[in-house]
Amino acid sequence: MTEERKNLWKDWRLHAVVLAIVLVTELIGTHQFSVGPGVILLLPMLYAIIIGLALYFTPIIKDKQSKNAEPLIILGVTLLIAKIGVIIGPSLPQIIEAGPALLLQEFGNLGTILIALPIAVFLGLKRESIGMTHSVAREPNVGLIMDKFGFNSPEGRGVMAIYIFGTVFGAVFMGLISGFLATLTPLHPLSFAMASGIGSGSMMAAASGSLVAAFPAMETDILAFAGASNLLSLSTGLYMSIFIGLPLTEKLYDVLTKRKDKKDQNKTRIGA
């Protein structure tokens, strides 16, 4: 172990701050309230990010702590991916029983690539857009990007930006949109229950909570379909990103940037 790593574990200020944030957020607990047919769910993870961001701008957290926190994030994600891998094996029978509709749902996540990536390139984002749009950027996807590109890479910054954004606004958005769409469209509530399982426990809980509030008689079925859907996203989503999502994003990024560069060159020639 190098001297730098030893100093990382000896950074008592960083560990004390993290412990204090965890204790405070767990004491606050989970809260939810209704907005029409939707439900807004406030979780400890949301408080932790807000408190951590606020402390960064105080004398409590210095540059040393922020730098030491970077490798610990990678370690935390690695442990989480290991946990997900352990969950996948025993859950395979449940996944098989879920049927073809649930098994094919992961292809829906490719929509983040086909829709969001062209917009990101149009707005002038560079390789950050690969990390931002290759998936919904939850924990397994963060680990994938960190492993392939590194934490300080453009792709790493992109996936972390969407991860933080999703943590802060994802549960709120999913809680509102699922309730409103389920009551305003002719689609079956169970289709929205299946769609709520995108690989994030907090987003699934918010979305299924809205559906249960709107259709209380179907509570058992909604929770069962949402749980199976989320389990599938956790189990197969990482492999979908590895073999299809990320390679497709990189290829499409190359195509889009080449087209954008040609258009810029043509505009420059015309202007000259």
Side-chain angles (χ1 to χ4, degrees):
M1 183 178 290
T2 64
E3 189 65 28
E4 184 178 350
R5 291 184 179 180
K6 288 181 180 179
N7 293 333
L8 185 154
W9 294 108
K10 292 179 181 179
D11 190 349
W12 63 268
R13 185 191 294 267
L14 173 62
H15 301 307
V17 168
V18 170
L19 177 60
I21 291 175
V22 170
L23 292 176
V24 170
T25 54
E26 288 297 327
L27 286 173
I28 296 173
T30 301
H31 298 278
Q32 68 178 50
F33 55 92
S34 301
V35 178
V39 173
I40 294 180
L41 189 66
L42 303 178
L43 298 165
M45 185 181 293
L46 171 61
Y47 316 141
I49 286 182
I50 293 174
I51 294 173
L53 286 172
L55 288 176
Y56 178 77
F57 297 101
T58 68
I60 297 175
I61 298 295
K62 300 179 180 179
D63 289 341
K64 177 183 176 183
Q65 280 72 52
S66 62
K67 291 179 180 179
N68 286 342
E70 290 183 6
L72 293 179
I73 292 174
I74 299 174
L75 176 61
V77 171
T78 302
L79 293 174
L80 182 61
I81 292 176
K83 179 183 177 182
I84 292 171
V86 173
I87 293 173
I88 292 174
S91 302
L92 284 177
Q94 300 175 35
I95 296 173
I96 295 172
E97 292 175 5
L102 282 176
L103 290 173
L104 294 173
Q105 70 161 354
E106 276 304 315
F107 286 96
N109 284 339
L110 299 179
T112 62
I113 304 168
L114 302 177
I115 297 174
L117 181 60
I119 295 174
V121 173
F122 174 77
L123 293 175
L125 294 172
K126 300 300 182 183
R127 292 193 64 86
E128 290 85 355
S129 59
I130 294 176
M132 296 172 73
T133 63
H134 83 284
S135 70
V136 291
R138 302 324 298 158
E139 289 85 353
N141 307 106
V142 173
L144 172 62
I145 294 297
M146 299 302 175
D147 181 65
K148 184 169 183 178
F149 299 104
F151 185 83
N152 290 317
S153 64
E155 296 84 356
R157 292 192 293 270
V159 74
M160 283 305 300
I162 298 302
Y163 176 78
I164 294 171
F165 187 88
T167 301
V168 176
F169 299 105
V172 175
F173 174 81
M174 291 291 290
L176 290 175
I177 198 69
S178 63
F180 280 104
L181 290 179
T183 54
L184 296 175
T185 64
L187 297 176
H188 198 281
L190 291 183
S191 65
F192 289 100
M194 293 167 59
S196 67
I198 62 173
S200 168
S202 59
M203 295 185 196
M204 183 208 72
S208 58
S210 294
L211 294 173
V212 168
F215 305 94
M218 302 179 65
E219 178 178 1
T220 302
D221 289 338
I222 288 172
L223 295 178
F225 272 78
S229 173
N230 202 58
L231 177 63
L232 270 167
S233 292
L234 285 171
S235 303
T236 63
L238 180 60
Y239 302 110
M240 180 67 76
S241 296
I242 292 173
F243 297 112
I244 299 178
L246 189 54
L248 176 62
T249 306
E250 292 186 279
K251 181 64 176 179
L252 185 57
Y253 173 82
D254 291 338
V255 172
L256 291 171
T257 50
K258 286 179 181 178
R259 287 184 179 179
K260 189 172 184 296
D261 291 341
K262 286 182 179 179
K263 288 182 179 180
D264 292 341
Q265 290 175 3
N266 291 334
K267 287 181 180 179
T268 302
R269 291 173 182 173
I270 294 173

